[in-house]
Every structure is written in C-alpha cells, then in structure tokens.
Amino acid sequence: MAAGQKLFGGTETLRHSSPNMELTTTAAEYAKEELVSKRKSSGSVIWRWFGFKVSDEQQNHIICRECNKQVAARGGSTTNLFHHLKQWHKLQYEECVKLRATEAPAASHPQTEKAPALKQSPLQASFSRSVPYEKKSDKWCAITKAVSYHIAKDMVPVATVEQVGFKKLLKTMDPRYELPSRNYFAREALPQMYTEVRQSLADQLANVTHFALTSDMWSSRTCEPYMSVTVHFIKDWELKTACLQTSYFPQDHTGEHIAEALQDAIASWKLREKHLVAITTDNGSNIVKAVELNEWLRMQCFGHRLHLAIGHGMSDKRVTRAISLCKRIVSCFSYSWKKRRHLAEVQIQLGLPSHQLITESATRWGSRQQMIERVLEQEAALAKVLSGDKKTRHLVPSWQDLEVLEAVQKVLKPLQEFTDALSGEEYVTLSYVKPVLHLFNESLLACEEGDSELCKSIKTSILEYLNSKYSDPATTDLLEMASFVDPRFRATYIPSEKVDALKHRAVLDVEMLLADQSSCQPPYLLTVPEPADGEGAVAPKAKKTLASFFKQRTATTTASTLREAIENELSSYLQSASVESDTDPLKWWKDHEVVFPALSHLAKKYLLVPATSSPSERVFSCSGNIVTCHRASLKPDMVDRLVFLAQNL
C-alpha cells in the first residue's frame, strides 16, 4: 500500500519496516476506548461482534470488537459486517452462522418460541396513568389503610403525612395516589380503625370462659394520670394478651376510685366478674385495697416482690456504702465526656470490653445488679482513670468495697434471669412461681460453706421476705393449682401432706366448671347414638364375636358418676408419662385434651394468669413513645385510642 493512500474512507496508514505490520491511527485510538452495543438493534446476531465507542453518540462509526477496526455499513445494512467476519475472523464467522441457524425457527414461530412484542399503549391508557385514584376506590383505600396502620403501629405522629419526605416516598411508589390531610387520619381513618379493632377484640372476648387482668397507674410527661388494664385469656390453646384501655384518671388515686374504675373497665367490655380468675398488680396500697373492695383474687407481681426482697436484703451498712460508691462512680462518668473518652482509651490498653457504665433505676428490676456487675468488670480501668485526677481519687473502690460488691453480685446474678423469664406474656408463667420459690430455698439462695457472712446474711434475708409474702393462703392455693395443672410439674413441688387436699379441691373445681357448662354434654360420658333416618328402631341381633366381649368390658368399667369420672381422670393424669421441662404446657394440653377433657377446663382457667404485671407496664412504655415532647398536647381520649391500636394491631 502506497504512502498517503486512504483506508476505510480517509484514515491514513503508517508503514512499518515489516510489510505485514500495518496499524491505522483510528484502530489505535479505538483500542483505548470501551465499545458499547447498538441502540435499537434489530436483533441480528452480527451485533455481538460489533459496537460503537462511547464518544460516538450518534453511532455512525461501526467498530469490530475483535480487531478494533472501523467497518463501513451504510443505511443500516449488515452485509459488510458479515463479509468482514468471513474475511478476517473465520472462527467468529462460523459461530455467527450457527447462531443465525438456531434463531431462524424461533423467528418463524413467534407465538410459541418467542414472547409477543409489546404493543404501543394507546393514548387513553397513557393518559390514565397520570390520573389520580378516585377517592374511596379499592386501591386508594388500601394505601390509606396501610398509612393508618403505620401511624398506629409504629407510634409516629399524625403530622407525618404532611412531611415532605413521606409525601415523596408515597409519590415515588405510586404517582396516582394522593395522600389525605392529617385531619382525615385524625378524625376519620384512625377512629374507624379503632372501632374495627375494638369490635374484633370484643368478638373474641364474647366467647371467653375465663380471663385474668393486670393493671397499673402511670403519669405522662404532662403529668396527666392514666390507668391501664390488660386482659389475658386462652383461645385455641394459645395465650392471648390485649390492652383493654389506657384511660384518663383525674380522680384521687384512692382504693375506692380505683375499684370503681376497674369495675367500669370490665363492664364496658361485657366481661363477667365470675369468669375473672385473678388480677396481677404491684404492691401499692391503693391497688391492693381496690382489689379487696371488689373481692377479687389478687396475684402479687413476682417481679416487684423480688425487687423488694432484694432491697430488703441490702439493708446492711456495708452494702449501702458500696452501692452508694457505685452510683457516684457512674455519675462521675455520666456528666463528663472527657472521663468517658479517657475510659475508652484505658479499656483498649487493658484489653477490657468497650462497655459503658449502667445507671441504677429505682423502678427497673435488676438494674442494681447490672450496675454492680459492670463496675466489677471495669474495675481496673475505673481505678486507673479515677486515680489520675485528684478530684476523683476518693472514688477508687477499696478492697473492702470490692469484697462487698462481689458478695452482692454472687447473690443477685442468678435471680436476674428468673425476673426476666417470668415477665413474658406469650407463654405460661404463673405455674413457674412455685418451682422457682422451691429452687430459691433449696439451691440458689441456700447458704453454702464457701459463702461469706455477708453473703449468707443477704440470702437469708431475701428468703425470709419471699417466704413470708407468699405464705398467704389464697396466693398459695392459686400457685399450687397452677403448678398442678402444668404437666411439667404436677405435684412435684407441692408438699406431700397437701397433695390429697389439692386433689379434692381440683375435683370440686372441675365439677363447678362443668356445672356452668351444663348445657353442653361432657365429652367423656358415653352416649348411645340415635338411629339415622331410614333405619329401623330394632336392629337384627348379630352373633357375638370375641372382640365384642372386650367392648362390653370397656363400657361397663366406665365410671357411673361424674365425680368418679373426674377422680379417675385425675389419677390417669398424675400417672401419665413425664414431660420435658422445655415443653409448652398449652401445646401439651391441646394434644391431650381428648384424653383429659375434664381437667382441660382446669388448665384453661389457671394457666392464663400472668406472674408479673409487666404487660401493663409495657403499655406505659408504649404510651411514653406516643406522648412525646412533640405530642404533649394530645387529648386523653386520643392517647387511649393510639395506645390501644399500637398494642392490639
């Protein structure tokens, strides 16, 4: 090729010493740039080997992906492209021919091999995409209900619907949806949702034969008093919990007023007092008096009682001084960011966990033990930081203080886990109280040889307090019966001299339960089925078989009286196979209800009572998330509705 000759329409070539080595300036430029595919391709396989450089926005210059050379193809024709592959890239050309052959049958049968091409949408369809949904249409109602659910369940302010970010989120997800104003949600959507949820809960409670309550008092950040009431019942052998109300309580918190408010609460839900098994509360004198005035059975909250027992055991002066020192240490680091920064540096130096100190809360169970545990864990780091400042050197714990804190930690550590476990509301807890008290007396709080005098004193004081508070006859009977109907425990933790009396009480209780359901025939009594339609009253006498004698024997051994049937069932229950400790008692009763139909009524009655008043206290945690500083002007009835929805949705 002569110097100055044009290649591919005007590109000059550079001749090298070897006649077989020619490189166009264009190819050198394209080799540096990534190629992109053809826009609006016709679907030809040839475009797998050709493309365009990124800077060629009009895609006028076709480039081979194999050799980076420009190939002319006027008018969109691909003939030159196939010719280029055939001449310079044999292997790629053969592959291209095979691909064209396989795609040819698919092109001849588009209805079976290839998805039909999308038709251009008509103008009317395109226009409808920009038209907002009609108010009260199914789609509009579904999205609006979802927004209402978000406001209620996640406890966000109603004003969220007016925030720019939230509006943009919904507009991006569905441009046709128009978000209503905050007044619509406050006055229509949320009240309607409250009515629906309340009616659904009322329908469930209408068929409840037994229920339990928890209740507590609370004041909002605006100092408005509220009283919460939660209900607990068993449905289809599942433990259910629901918030009945968080009502405004402006009256004096006397026992008489609280008793009247509790009566009004169950009356508003059409619950009958005779179906109330017990109410679990804290140990406030006003709530205790209210329960006594209503003549209800009261279960004292195990968490509060254990918290008070621990406080009773900490009356020693040495313990008081050591705990006071812990509080001052925590306070010192709480109000100084420099001390916290220095503590973090020392923790890294000493290889200690990067944990913050924990503050004791008088109303939070177990917080004292957590504070002591954290101080002991970080003792080396705390001593190094505090000793470096002459103003805080006096806070460095002495060896006497450390010994006292270790003794307290040894006693309290095992008790913390029981408090957390007995605060659940989705599983049975009351039947655990009797075994836990037995475990405290026999193991966890029993004095051992290696215990110090202080440790023994704390254990003894806690045990004496708990045993005295749970020696009340009514409380003891409730705990024993709950443990008795739990298949994991039965009569294991009941004194042997009281087992017979407990059996007799269980039989009488079952008789009373069946008497209330006298309209329903007891499932364990044998009945003779009536002849079906079209059958004669007298059937021909069949010849007796060997099996018929055994059937007759079973029928004749059936108890003739109701009490004997219950006693036989009770004996079978006590002699049945043992159950693993991690078994769900409600699931066990669901599987064995047919075997023990009479005792199943007893289980439904006593296994639903909660051991602590945590459910009501969790309601107030929810209330605190609703009545925030930005929503302090919420009216009491709106607070009640929002808390009800957040708890029951």
Side-chain angles (χ1 to χ4, degrees):
M1 182 180 295
Q5 185 177 355
K6 303 296 182 179
L7 178 66
F8 295 134
T11 305
E12 296 182 358
T13 63
L14 300 177
R15 183 175 298 279
H16 299 270
S17 59
S18 174
N20 297 327
M21 297 183 62
E22 292 184 350
L23 180 65
T24 65
T25 57
T26 308
E29 294 174 0
Y30 292 144
K32 301 177 183 179
E33 195 166 1
E34 182 182 358
L35 301 180
V36 297
S37 301
K38 177 179 175 61
R39 296 192 298 266
K40 300 181 180 180
S41 173
S42 60
S44 177
V45 297
I46 193 63
W47 291 107
R48 298 189 181 189
W49 289 272
F50 296 90
F52 303 87
K53 62 179 183 178
V54 179
S55 59
D56 186 6
E57 297 181 355
Q58 301 298 326
Q59 294 192 347
N60 294 324
H61 305 288
I62 305 174
I63 310 300
C64 176
R65 297 180 185 272
E66 301 296 328
C67 61
N68 289 323
K69 291 183 179 181
Q70 179 176 338
V71 181
R74 298 182 180 277
S77 175
T78 58
T79 303
N80 285 356
L81 306 184
F82 282 104
H83 181 73
H84 177 83
L85 279 186
K86 184 177 181 180
Q87 184 176 2
W88 300 104
H89 311 291
K90 300 292 185 181
L91 296 178
Q92 286 77 3
Y93 177 75
E94 293 176 359
E95 182 181 357
C96 179
V97 172
K98 292 180 181 179
L99 290 175
R100 293 185 69 190
T102 56
E103 291 188 1
S108 61
H109 301 284
Q111 69 277 12
T112 57
E113 301 293 337
K114 188 176 180 181
L118 295 175
K119 297 182 179 179
Q120 185 177 3
S121 58
L123 181 61
Q124 184 178 3
S126 301
F127 178 73
S128 64
R129 294 190 184 128
S130 61
V131 177
Y133 293 121
E134 293 184 4
K135 296 292 180 65
K136 306 303 180 183
S137 64
D138 293 342
K139 187 67 174 179
W140 186 88
C141 291
I143 300 178
T144 304
K145 189 173 183 178
V147 174
S148 302
Y149 182 89
H150 165 63
I151 294 173
K153 188 64 178 177
D154 296 335
M155 298 174 286
V156 298
V158 181
T160 302
V161 299
E162 294 183 345
Q163 295 177 355
V164 177
F166 188 75
K167 287 183 176 181
K168 183 174 178 59
L169 172 65
L170 292 181
K171 186 61 66 176
T172 303
M173 296 178 66
D174 195 336
R176 298 182 61 188
Y177 176 71
E178 290 186 347
L179 186 65
S181 66
R182 62 182 295 180
N183 289 333
Y184 174 82
F185 287 99
R187 298 174 183 176
E188 294 187 37
L190 291 176
Q192 181 181 356
M193 180 175 286
Y194 171 80
T195 302
E196 294 174 356
V197 176
R198 182 182 176 90
Q199 184 59 45
S200 175
L201 179 58
D203 294 340
Q204 295 185 58
L205 295 177
N207 301 320
V208 168
T209 56
H210 297 95
F211 67 94
L213 299 175
T214 65
S215 182
D216 204 352
M217 308 293 293
W218 171 77
S219 295
S220 68
R221 65 172 59 245
T222 57
C223 293
E224 293 178 330
Y226 291 87
M227 184 180 74
S228 73
V229 179
T230 64
V231 65
H232 308 263
F233 57 96
I234 293 176
K235 181 181 180 182
D236 297 330
W237 289 109
E238 290 185 3
L239 191 58
K240 304 290 185 179
T241 299
C243 173
L244 294 183
Q245 64 181 42
T246 306
S247 58
Y248 182 53
F249 199 84
Q251 302 93 341
D252 292 341
H253 295 178
T254 61
E256 291 77 9
H257 289 157
I258 296 176
E260 183 180 357
L262 291 174
Q263 291 279 1
D264 293 341
I266 64 173
S268 64
W269 288 90
K270 299 180 181 179
L271 295 171
R272 305 174 65 179
E273 281 191 60
K274 70 174 185 177
H275 293 160
L276 174 63
V277 181
I279 178 172
T280 305
T281 69
D282 58 17
N283 304 300
S285 59
N286 51 359
I287 189 67
V288 172
K289 183 178 180 181
V291 176
E292 292 177 353
L293 292 174
N294 287 336
E295 298 181 353
W296 294 350
L297 178 60
R298 173 179 168 271
M299 173 61 197
Q300 47 190 311
C301 174
F302 185 82
H304 280 97
R305 188 58 73 188
L306 182 59
H307 185 68
L308 294 175
I310 292 173
H312 184 74
M314 302 291 148
S315 57
D316 190 283
K317 293 182 179 180
R318 294 169 293 177
V319 176
T320 303
R321 181 192 182 282
I323 293 177
S324 176
L325 178 63
C326 285
K327 291 181 179 179
R328 284 183 288 166
I329 292 175
V330 173
S331 178
C332 175
F333 285 88
S334 298
Y335 295 101
S336 174
W337 64 269
K338 291 184 179 180
K339 288 254 183 327
R340 284 202 297 264
R341 182 185 63 185
H342 192 189
L343 178 62
E345 295 172 353
V346 174
Q347 286 173 337
I348 296 175
Q349 295 174 5
L350 300 179
L352 294 174
S354 299
H355 293 161
Q356 296 290 336
L357 299 181
I358 298 176
T359 304
E360 179 188 12
S361 174
T363 58
R364 191 176 58 167
W365 310 332
S367 59
R368 174 174 294 182
Q369 180 269 329
Q370 294 172 356
M371 177 186 68
I372 294 174
E373 182 180 26
R374 186 59 52 84
V375 169
L376 290 175
E377 176 192 86
Q378 302 292 331
E379 184 269 329
L382 294 174
K384 186 172 183 180
V385 174
L386 294 173
S387 60
D389 187 352
K390 62 180 182 180
K391 295 181 179 180
T392 59
R393 288 174 185 170
H394 65 284
L395 296 178
V396 177
S398 62
W399 65 268
Q400 295 96 333
D401 295 326
L402 293 177
E403 280 190 355
V404 172
L405 293 177
E406 289 173 355
V408 174
Q409 167 71 1
K410 181 180 179 181
V411 176
L412 299 188
K413 178 64 174 176
L415 306 183
Q416 174 66 26
E417 299 176 357
F418 287 99
T419 303
D420 295 339
L422 290 173
S423 299
E425 52 184 284
E426 295 181 354
Y427 51 87
V428 175
T429 56
L430 184 65
S431 59
Y432 269 114
V433 175
K434 195 71 177 178
V436 167
L437 291 175
H438 181 272
L439 188 62
F440 284 175
N441 283 275
E442 300 296 329
S443 177
L444 296 181
L445 294 179
C447 297
E448 301 175 354
E449 292 183 1
D451 291 343
S452 62
E453 292 299 324
L454 178 60
C455 189
K456 292 179 180 179
S457 174
I458 296 174
K459 288 183 176 181
T460 303
S461 179
I462 294 176
L463 275 180
E464 290 178 352
Y465 182 88
L466 288 176
N467 291 333
S468 64
K469 295 302 180 180
Y470 283 97
S471 61
D472 175 69
T475 302
T476 302
D477 292 344
L478 178 62
L479 296 179
E480 288 178 349
M481 187 61 72
S483 178
F484 184 72
V485 296
D486 192 323
R488 299 169 296 178
F489 308 128
R490 302 179 194 178
T492 304
Y493 299 101
I494 299 173
S496 57
E497 64 274 9
K498 301 179 65 175
V499 172
D500 291 337
L502 183 61
K503 290 181 182 179
H504 180 69
R505 186 157 55 87
V507 172
L508 296 179
D509 206 346
V510 171
E511 287 182 340
M512 293 179 61
L513 295 176
L514 295 177
D516 292 339
Q517 302 176 2
S518 58
S519 57
C520 299
Q521 190 175 18
Y524 52 87
L525 294 180
L526 294 177
T527 58
V528 180
E530 297 179 0
D533 295 340
E535 294 181 356
V538 180
K541 188 175 182 180
K543 184 177 180 181
K544 287 188 176 182
T545 62
L546 184 60
S548 64
F549 290 96
F550 291 94
K551 292 181 180 179
Q552 182 179 4
R553 177 63 179 171
T554 303
T556 55
T557 55
T558 303
S560 58
T561 64
L562 177 62
R563 176 164 296 189
E564 290 177 354
I566 298 173
E567 291 175 350
N568 291 339
E569 188 174 309
L570 185 59
S571 299
S572 300
Y573 166 73
L574 294 175
Q575 295 174 6
S576 59
S578 58
V579 180
E580 296 293 335
S581 59
D582 58 350
T583 302
D584 183 359
L586 295 181
K587 187 178 183 302
W588 187 92
W589 275 108
K590 183 178 181 180
D591 297 336
H592 295 77
E593 183 178 10
V594 178
V595 183
F596 308 111
L599 291 180
S600 65
H601 295 283
L602 208 60
K604 288 181 180 179
K605 177 179 179 180
Y606 288 103
L607 293 181
L608 55 82
V609 181
T612 69
S613 59
S614 297
S616 287
E617 298 188 0
R618 293 191 181 100
V619 170
F620 292 139
S621 297
C622 170
S623 304
N625 293 330
I626 291 176
V627 188
T628 61
C629 58
H630 297 291
R631 309 173 74 186
S633 60
L634 281 174
K635 300 299 181 183
D637 59 338
M638 193 61 178
V639 173
D640 184 16
R641 292 182 177 183
L642 291 176
V643 173
F644 179 86
L645 289 175
Q647 290 291 304
N648 296 325
L649 279 176

